[in-house]
Amino acid sequence: MKFISLSILLASYVAGQCSNSITINSQGDASGLSSCSTFTGDINANAISADSLDFSGITQVKGSITISNSFNLKSVNFPDLKSVSGSFNLLNNTQVISLNTAQLSSCGNFIISNNPNLRTLSINSISTISGFSIINTSIDSISGLSFKNATFIDVSANSYLNKIDFSTLTNINGFINIADNDSGSTANFPNLLSIGGNSTFRGLSSLNVSNVTTLVDTFNLNGNSFTSFSLDKLSNVSKDITIFSNSQLSSFKVPLLTSIDGGIQIRQNPLLLSIDEDAFPNLATVKGGVDINGTMTNVTFPKLTRIDGAFVLSTSGNADCNQIKKTLTGVYRGTFSCNAKTASSSGGSSSSSGSSAAPRSASFNSKLAGSIVAIALIAATFF
């Protein structure tokens, strides 16, 4: 009878130890959880002095894990961890070198941020995830991941990262930001079909998003070094397409797009000498404006029948503004403006009533600015 009572007490103690959120202050605290195959609650380790943490024994956490602001910490080990119902967060640990979550297959948000010396990251078993973020580390490759859906993707400011491969990813419900990694970094999304939020691709030497069919928010290509890109399957764009300051870009193709609900902005791509008939061969309707700036000698939209906003072209190339205006007469509902190097551009500018040439977000910004001025005047009156 005493034996049974002791067993019950022991079981109750273990259950209590494994079912309340805990703050980890040392390796001893982490080792104390080794009997908890399933831990219910949050595990937090903040500003600890230990140089390593090992959480052997834990296979499931019904809560979140956060390890943060521990400036002596060099390694974090979850060798048996398979699932986390909440977020896994490794934040602001300046000396941490390695993170082992090799068996982790299911997680809420997986956030690795501001661990500048992190070189070894074992995450290749993740098959189900919510959001995924790797920011400011020293890892050189992200590949082998098997999840198909994510709420957001942020891979940025990893100065040694040169390979970014999400081969199985098909849908992103929110934003994607791939930016400011190694200057020679490549990004491969061969099976990605839709992006539900703002998308930014910056500082890449190669980009593959050729199978994307749907963009729900603005698509930004900014400061890349690849020579060409294609959106071969793109057919739905709900906001803007922005192609800005890509130093080596000389051509691009968006062959299936017939209508864009926002605007098009193509600016400061010095080697993009022509927007020819292969760039937007089937585009018929732009519900925002078209804003083009650069060195173009030719601008052609072979099937364009309507621009609800304005058309603006400013180029140092030998473009024929008169011919461009003639081609687009009756197409644009806003103003037409063309400034080019050749003499034929003189008199090639005209205006009519309508919205601005910038994508729709620009008109929102102008309204916001007007509201701010109005508020300032009211404030000045009363004060």
Side-chain angles (χ1 to χ4, degrees):
M1 197 70 175
K2 289 182 178 179
F3 175 75
I4 294 173
S5 298
L6 287 171
S7 297
I8 293 172
L9 286 171
L10 180 60
S12 298
Y13 171 75
V14 171
Q17 187 183 27
C18 298
S19 60
N20 293 301
S21 294
I22 187 171
T23 297
I24 302 297
N25 294 306
S26 66
Q27 177 56 50
D29 292 338
S31 298
L33 303 180
S34 61
S35 60
C36 302
S37 177
T38 298
F39 183 88
T40 303
D42 297 335
I43 297 174
N44 297 292
N46 181 62
I48 66 170
S49 59
D51 63 1
S52 65
L53 284 175
D54 189 298
F55 291 87
S56 295
I58 301 176
T59 63
Q60 182 180 18
V61 174
K62 294 181 179 180
S64 295
I65 298 171
T66 301
I67 299 171
S68 60
N69 304 310
S70 298
F71 305 128
N72 293 319
L73 191 62
K74 292 182 173 60
S75 67
V76 179
N77 190 27
F78 285 88
D80 306 306
L81 185 64
K82 295 182 179 179
S83 69
V84 180
S85 66
S87 297
F88 186 102
N89 306 293
L90 186 69
L91 311 173
N92 307 319
N93 304 286
T94 57
Q95 297 302 317
V96 72
I97 296 171
S98 66
L99 169 65
N100 176 24
T101 54
Q103 294 195 59
L104 182 62
S105 62
S106 176
C107 187
N109 291 336
F110 187 83
I111 310 293
I112 309 296
S113 181
N114 295 323
N115 304 279
N117 286 299
L118 181 65
R119 302 183 191 100
T120 304
L121 183 60
S122 302
I123 55 173
N124 288 354
S125 295
I126 298 176
S127 59
T128 303
I129 203 167
S130 182
F132 183 86
S133 181
I134 307 288
I135 301 171
N136 188 20
T137 73
S138 289
I139 62 172
D140 61 10
S141 176
I142 296 175
S143 63
L145 298 166
S146 59
F147 56 86
K148 294 183 178 180
N149 300 285
T151 55
F152 65 83
I153 300 287
D154 189 350
V155 178
S156 57
N158 303 284
S159 58
Y160 295 94
L161 181 59
N162 53 52
K163 180 181 180 182
I164 303 165
D165 192 335
F166 288 84
S167 294
T168 61
L169 187 64
T170 59
N171 296 288
I172 303 171
N173 295 328
F175 75 89
I176 178 169
N177 182 46
I178 309 294
D180 304 326
N181 299 296
D182 181 87
S183 59
S185 59
T186 63
N188 187 36
F189 297 85
N191 292 299
L192 184 60
L193 301 176
S194 66
I195 303 173
N198 188 80
S199 51
T200 298
F201 299 94
R202 183 170 66 239
L204 297 170
S205 66
S206 174
L207 173 64
N208 178 15
V209 287
S210 61
N211 284 315
V212 170
T213 64
T214 302
L215 296 171
V216 177
D217 209 320
T218 299
F219 180 80
N220 300 286
L221 291 181
N222 181 4
N224 299 289
S225 60
F226 44 74
T227 60
S228 64
F229 78 91
S230 62
L231 292 163
D232 294 332
K233 303 294 179 63
L234 184 63
S235 57
N236 298 290
V237 180
S238 298
K239 288 195 177 178
D240 305 327
I241 292 178
T242 300
I243 304 169
F244 176 73
S245 192
N246 300 282
S247 61
Q248 303 299 313
L249 184 67
S250 59
S251 67
F252 66 89
K253 295 180 180 180
V254 192
L256 300 184
L257 188 64
T258 60
S259 177
I260 177 170
D261 289 345
I264 297 172
Q265 188 174 64
I266 303 171
R267 298 180 64 85
Q268 298 178 25
N269 306 283
L271 299 185
L272 186 62
L273 304 181
S274 175
I275 299 176
D276 59 25
E277 61 185 11
D278 292 329
F280 293 102
N282 290 297
L283 184 62
T285 303
V286 179
K287 294 184 179 179
V290 177
D291 179 12
I292 301 172
N293 174 286
T295 58
M296 293 83 175
T297 58
N298 176 51
V299 176
T300 304
F301 295 90
K303 293 189 177 180
L304 191 60
T305 59
R306 182 177 180 123
I307 303 172
D308 285 349
F311 179 91
V312 175
L313 171 63
S314 179
T315 176
S316 60
N318 294 318
D320 188 337
C321 286
N322 290 329
Q323 181 59 40
I324 293 170
K325 182 181 179 183
K326 180 179 179 180
T327 301
L328 294 177
T329 296
V331 173
Y332 54 88
R333 301 297 188 268
T335 59
F336 176 92
S337 176
C338 181
N339 292 287
K341 181 179 179 180
T342 58
S344 63
S345 66
S346 61
S349 295
S350 65
S351 64
S352 61
S353 62
S355 61
S356 70
R360 289 180 171 181
S361 55
S363 63
F364 170 80
N365 289 338
S366 63
K367 291 177 182 177
L368 177 62
S371 298
I372 291 171
V373 171
I375 291 168
L377 289 172
I378 292 169
T381 301
F382 286 99
F383 297 101

